[in-house]
Structures are given as C-alpha cells and as structure tokens.
C-alpha cells in the first residue's frame, strides 16, 4: 500500500515539476527531487527512468552534482515568482485580502528559496567536515 501511495504522489510531483518548467513561480527541481525520493523508495524502474529522462534528468543531475542550486538560478526563480505575484496581485485581483495573501506567500516563497534551498557548491569544492579527514 505504501509503495502505491509513493508512486501516485511521485507521479503528481513529476507532473507539477513539468508544469513548473513552463510556469514562472512554480518550482521544478524541488518537485523532481521529491519524485526521485518517492520513486527510490517505491519503484527502481520509475526512479531510473526519471534520472535517465532527456528532459527531466538534467535538473536532477545538476542538483546532485553541485549539491544545491546556484545563485543565478535562485535570482531568476525569485524574479519570475515576484513578476507573477505582482501581475496576479495588482492586475488580476482587486480584493485587498487576496493581494495581501499573495504578497505574504511571495515572502514565504522568497525566504524558502534563499534560506532553505541549499546553495550549489563550486566544482571541486567540498564540505568543510569532509576536508578535516
């Protein structure tokens, strides 16, 4: 039962990741990382297919190789997110409650990208604790 739930959630997460490629403000890599973890724990075949994918595999490999997301990618993500939030809050919606909600979610999203998503290491750079051996 657990494997089936992981596969279903993993497929939904892959779909959201694909949508995130085309929709600014919706992240791609976090959804693909979640899918990878879910498939790793439920289906080796789906996990391997995701990592070998021509379109989705590079997101996962880039994150895996550098152990995070680069500052340029973070800056572009935040800029796209705020562009969409601004358009939604000030062009689409007239209700101040909705505007405040969108702006609050934008602040949470920005803080998440800046402080929770790990920064990519430069090539050849290792973690400090690995250098102490």
């Amino acid at each position: 039962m657990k494997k089936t739930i992981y596969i279903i959630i993993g497929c939904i997460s892959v779909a959201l990741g694909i949508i995130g490629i085309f929709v600014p403000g919706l992240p791609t890599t976090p959804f693909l990382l979640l899918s990878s973890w879910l498939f790793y724990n439920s289906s080796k075949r789906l996990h391997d297919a995701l990592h070998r994918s021509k379109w989705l595999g590079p997101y996962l490999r880039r994150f895996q190789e550098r152990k995070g997301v680069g500052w340029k990618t973070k800056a572009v993500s935040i800029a796209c997110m705020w562009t969409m939030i601004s358009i939604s809050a000030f062009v689409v919606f007239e209700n101040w409650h909705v505007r405040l909600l969108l702006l609050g979610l934008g602040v949470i999203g920005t803080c998440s990208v800046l402080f929770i998503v790990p920064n990519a290491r430069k090539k050849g750079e290792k973690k400090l604790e690995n250098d102490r051996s």
Side-chain angles (χ1 to χ4, degrees), residues 3 7 38-48:
K3 287 174 79 170
I7 291 171
L38 290 165
F39 292 155
Y40 180 81
N41 289 295
S42 61
S43 170
K44 180 172 175 29
R45 184 179 58 83
L46 289 173
H47 178 264
D48 292 345

Side-chain angles (χ1 to χ4, degrees), residues 1-12 34-47:
M1 182 69 163
K2 182 172 137 180
K3 287 174 79 170
T4 304
I5 292 171
Y6 278 11
I7 291 171
I8 291 169
I9 295 172
C11 290
I12 292 169
L34 174 63
S35 298
S36 178
W37 183 85
L38 290 165
F39 292 155
Y40 180 81
N41 289 295
S42 61
S43 170
K44 180 172 175 29
R45 184 179 58 83
L46 289 173
H47 178 264

